[in-house]
Amino acid sequence: MSGVIVTGPPKAERRDVDALAAFGVATVSEAMGRTGLLGPEIRPIQQGVRMAGTAVTVLSWPGDNLMIHAAVEQCGEGDVLVVTTTSPSTDGMFGELFATALRRRGVRGLIINAGIRDTQELREMDFPAWSRAVSAQGTVKATGGSVNVPVAIDGQVIRPGDVILADDDGVVVVPRERARAAAQASEAREAKEARSRAAFLDGELGLDRYGLRETLKQLGVEYRTYEEYTGERQ
């Protein structure tokens, strides 16, 4: 497998990345029209962490982490390393030594569509990571691949420089040219949710706030007493 290492790709502006970092994955995905989510199998190895940055992408051969070594050189302040393989793999391709090198370069975290190991050490050094598997199985460094090319994970295309946002709920990708609009839409959605939260605290029901009683009626959903429904008398 031959490949290419692309240098200097365009990136989303830092101010837009930092603006998106204020919002949760669910909020951003909903604000973009329920798009951008990676599958639920990509899970965090820690809890209570939210991370946002610009993608440096890696396409590797399964069980081979050579191209991660090549990608470290291309990473800089505010980046997130995004790794996938040419076919499914759960081998532990990434561990504490990689994280040490990336932390030195200002990388904010890792998304890997394969296995990860040294998870305790990664948590202790506060290097956030989301992976498809946790595995102690080691890898080789023998096959070419690519860095900073478009990759696909769970049907989502991730390009170098796109925004990656991750938290306890999962991972979402925001196309770099949509970052500012997505941040503005997320802010508007969060404000709307704040108003709903206040209404619910005041006792209002979602059925009334969202006009769902009429929806139930249109769908033919009926209210019946227990006696009407069962034919039993209490």
Side-chain angles (χ1 to χ4, degrees):
M1 174 181 171
S2 60
V4 62
I5 297 173
V6 179
T7 63
K11 297 181 180 182
E13 292 191 25
R14 179 65 59 83
R15 64 177 181 176
D16 298 328
V17 177
D18 291 342
L20 284 166
F23 307 107
V25 165
T27 295
V28 173
S29 176
E30 292 281 354
M32 293 195 302
R34 298 184 180 180
T35 62
L37 286 175
L38 274 59
E41 294 81 11
I42 305 291
R43 302 300 304 149
I45 65 165
Q46 67 285 307
Q47 292 291 307
V49 174
R50 181 179 295 168
M51 178 269 296
T54 46
V56 171
T57 62
V58 181
L59 180 62
S60 290
W61 195 259
D64 191 315
N65 67 5
L66 172 62
M67 298 314 296
I68 299 179
H69 284 279
V72 172
E73 183 182 25
Q74 303 305 316
C75 290
E77 186 71 33
D79 285 334
V80 173
L81 189 64
V82 179
V83 181
T84 191
T85 53
T86 56
S87 60
S89 175
T90 58
D91 293 341
M93 298 177 64
F94 185 100
E96 178 261 338
L97 291 178
F98 270 136
T100 299
L102 291 174
R103 173 59 57 81
R104 174 65 177 78
R105 302 180 76 85
V107 173
R108 294 180 175 179
L110 169 79
I111 309 296
I112 183 166
N113 187 29
I116 193 172
R117 60 185 188 178
D118 301 335
T119 55
Q120 179 178 342
E121 289 81 358
L122 294 178
R123 287 189 292 270
E124 289 174 350
M125 65 187 293
D126 295 325
F127 187 86
W130 286 253
S131 69
R132 185 168 295 274
V134 173
S135 174
Q137 177 64 49
T139 57
V140 300
K141 302 166 182 61
T143 313
S146 294
V147 175
N148 276 336
V149 299
V151 298
I153 299 177
D154 295 332
Q156 299 296 335
V157 175
I158 302 170
R159 302 168 303 163
D162 285 346
V163 182
I164 300 294
L165 180 68
D167 61 18
D168 290 348
D169 292 336
V171 182
V172 65
V173 55
V174 181
R176 57 180 181 259
E177 65 272 11
R178 294 183 59 190
R180 184 168 304 176
Q184 293 170 345
S186 297
E187 183 177 6
R189 180 174 179 81
E190 193 162 85
K192 178 181 178 182
E193 289 182 348
R195 293 191 294 271
S196 295
R197 186 177 301 109
F200 294 154
L201 285 170
D202 199 41
E204 186 176 1
L205 295 174
L207 284 174
D208 298 313
R209 184 167 185 81
Y210 303 138
L212 298 178
R213 295 189 189 279
E214 182 61 27
T215 300
L216 290 175
K217 181 179 178 181
Q218 292 175 358
L219 293 173
V221 179
E222 299 178 343
Y223 283 87
R224 293 191 178 185
T225 66
Y226 180 81
E227 290 183 356
E228 291 172 335
Y229 179 67
T230 63
E232 299 178 2
R233 291 183 176 274
Q234 295 188 20

